[in-house]
Amino acid sequence: MSETDFLSVHNISLEEHGQPILNGISFGQPAGRKLALAGESGAGKSTLLQVIAGLVQPTAGEVRFAGRRVRGPQEVLVPGHPGVVYLSQKSDLPKSLRVEQVLRYASKRPEAEAQAVYEVCRIGPLMARRTNQLSGGEQQRVALARLLLSAPRLLLLDEPFSNLDRTHKHQLQEVIRDVGEELDITCLLVSHDPTDTLPWADELLVLHRGRLVQQGTAEQVYRQPVSEYAAALFGDYNRFEGPDLRALLAAPRRRLPSPVLLVRPENLQLAPAGSPGAAGTVRAVRFMGSYYEVEVQLPATLLRVRLPAATVVAGEAVTVQLAEGAPVSFVDLPA
């Protein structure tokens, strides 16, 4: 963290009924940098976002936004913090009002700025409709526009794509991208889906049981996860240990950094039987659209390898190798 961070989260902890929910979380977010929080259900992602928004009181630590401490609901009459807005999974729009009415009542922007918000949120054609006539994706875009009309500087997004179909999800993803680029609003996103976070985030924060366990660029966290937990959040991986690991690395006696190696399926390649590497047998070949998934059985490990073409068949003897320059992660055995 730095004193110049736009958002500064310092040593945030929270207990509920004697149980730790968040434990000593610290990080900073410069203005304009896109951050995403990732973790399994119950990891504390949404709770942390609500603490940052001033909607939940932490047990310890502090949040500072643009140099001012964010006060929790036990310290203020109306929860929340100036310049920070929070979009949850539910739009919570007033029932049966026209969209134009909902937005007019909420707007604190001049008309030209309000129109720019409507354009970014793609809601111009919805203005005359009532809120109960909108689809889930349309409701989310209207709810987002209503928040943006308060002229915030930080937008907190809590699983905004949940329960949206593919079309509306893509629309909302484009809107959130444009909110940052065209309206100059900094965004912090929570999502359980790696396809939401990996292509969007400048930086990823991985939470596990209320603790921050990894922080880095999307590419770093994906390619070199610090644990199997972090690896599993962002896609398929293969786990090597014991003789299969030593065969893959051609290191029968060399001391290894750790007993377990994690490798993404696209970072393995297949060579003819008898080549250097780990000997195995192809169990299955599946067409996955943009690639083929090959299942290979080693003596103690069942692997998945991604190939651009179906160059092997079930039952064929092969050798599994690391692709040249492939990033890998040595991790410790889980406690």
Side-chain angles (χ1 to χ4, degrees):
M1 284 191 305
S2 163
E3 291 182 0
T4 61
D5 282 329
F6 185 64
L7 173 69
S8 175
V9 176
H10 179 66
N11 202 31
I12 288 294
S13 295
L14 175 66
E15 288 188 2
E16 291 182 355
H17 309 296
Q19 297 297 315
I21 307 300
L22 301 173
N23 199 324
I25 294 177
S26 298
F27 66 89
Q29 180 177 12
R33 189 163 180 81
K34 301 188 292 291
L35 256 64
L37 294 172
E40 65 185 6
S41 179
K45 307 183 301 297
S46 295
T47 302
L48 178 58
L49 214 63
Q50 290 165 11
V51 169
I52 294 169
L55 303 176
V56 169
Q57 187 80 35
T59 306
E62 73 170 14
V63 176
R64 301 189 73 86
F65 171 67
R68 293 180 55 194
R69 187 173 72 86
V70 175
R71 295 186 292 173
Q74 296 176 10
E75 304 172 81
V76 294
L77 187 62
V78 179
H81 188 81
V84 181
V85 291
Y86 171 82
L87 182 69
S88 69
Q89 300 174 34
K90 299 178 181 179
S91 61
D92 293 326
L93 294 173
K95 303 293 184 185
S96 300
L97 289 181
R98 292 193 304 278
V99 169
E100 173 270 329
Q101 292 175 298
V102 172
L103 298 177
R104 186 174 70 246
Y105 298 153
S107 184
K108 297 179 181 178
R109 291 180 180 265
E111 183 59 26
E113 291 184 12
Q115 290 299 323
V117 168
Y118 304 154
E119 184 175 335
V120 164
C121 293
R122 280 87 158 159
I123 59 171
L126 307 178
M127 289 297 194
R129 289 165 59 183
R130 296 189 180 275
T131 54
N132 58 343
Q133 298 173 327
L134 303 176
S135 69
E138 291 166 343
Q139 288 183 21
Q140 278 291 70
R141 298 204 309 278
V142 171
L144 176 57
R146 183 172 64 160
L147 292 175
L148 298 180
L149 288 173
S150 67
R153 300 171 64 195
L154 177 65
L155 172 62
L156 307 176
L157 299 149
D158 190 357
E159 298 280 7
F161 312 114
S162 289
N163 305 317
L164 298 186
D165 61 37
R166 185 179 180 87
T167 299
H168 283 107
K169 180 175 179 175
H170 285 169
Q171 281 184 322
L172 187 56
Q173 287 173 331
E174 292 175 357
V175 166
I176 290 170
R177 179 200 64 206
D178 291 347
V179 163
E181 294 178 359
E182 298 184 24
L183 300 182
D184 195 27
I185 295 173
T186 301
C187 298
L188 199 167
L189 169 72
V190 161
S191 177
H192 68 279
D193 189 338
T195 62
D196 299 338
T197 55
L198 288 174
W200 177 83
D202 297 319
E203 191 168 7
L204 284 172
L205 308 176
V206 178
L207 267 60
H208 184 214
R209 297 177 180 173
R211 294 181 181 273
L212 179 58
V213 296
Q214 187 168 8
Q215 180 174 356
T217 66
E219 185 172 356
Q220 287 171 340
V221 174
Y222 176 79
R223 294 187 182 281
Q224 295 184 299
V226 297
S227 65
E228 287 193 66
Y229 169 84
L233 291 174
F234 299 101
D236 293 334
Y237 68 95
N238 295 297
R239 183 182 195 272
F240 289 87
E241 61 180 324
D244 287 347
L245 170 57
R246 292 192 172 276
L248 178 74
L249 300 179
R253 287 177 293 276
R254 192 177 76 223
R255 183 178 176 84
L256 300 177
S258 181
V260 177
L261 180 71
L262 307 182
V263 187
R264 298 289 183 187
E266 64 270 23
N267 291 325
L268 293 172
Q269 62 187 24
L270 300 181
S275 303
T281 303
V282 175
R283 287 261 308 260
V285 180
R286 302 184 182 93
F287 176 63
M288 304 299 289
S290 58
Y291 62 91
Y292 284 83
E293 182 180 87
V294 181
E295 212 172 73
V296 180
Q297 180 68 63
L298 303 187
T301 311
L302 183 63
L303 303 177
R304 291 178 179 177
V305 182
R306 287 184 185 171
L307 300 177
T311 55
V312 294
V313 296
E316 184 176 346
V318 295
T319 298
V320 179
Q321 301 174 332
L322 283 175
E324 186 175 355
V328 296
S329 288
F330 281 97
V331 300
D332 292 326
L333 291 168

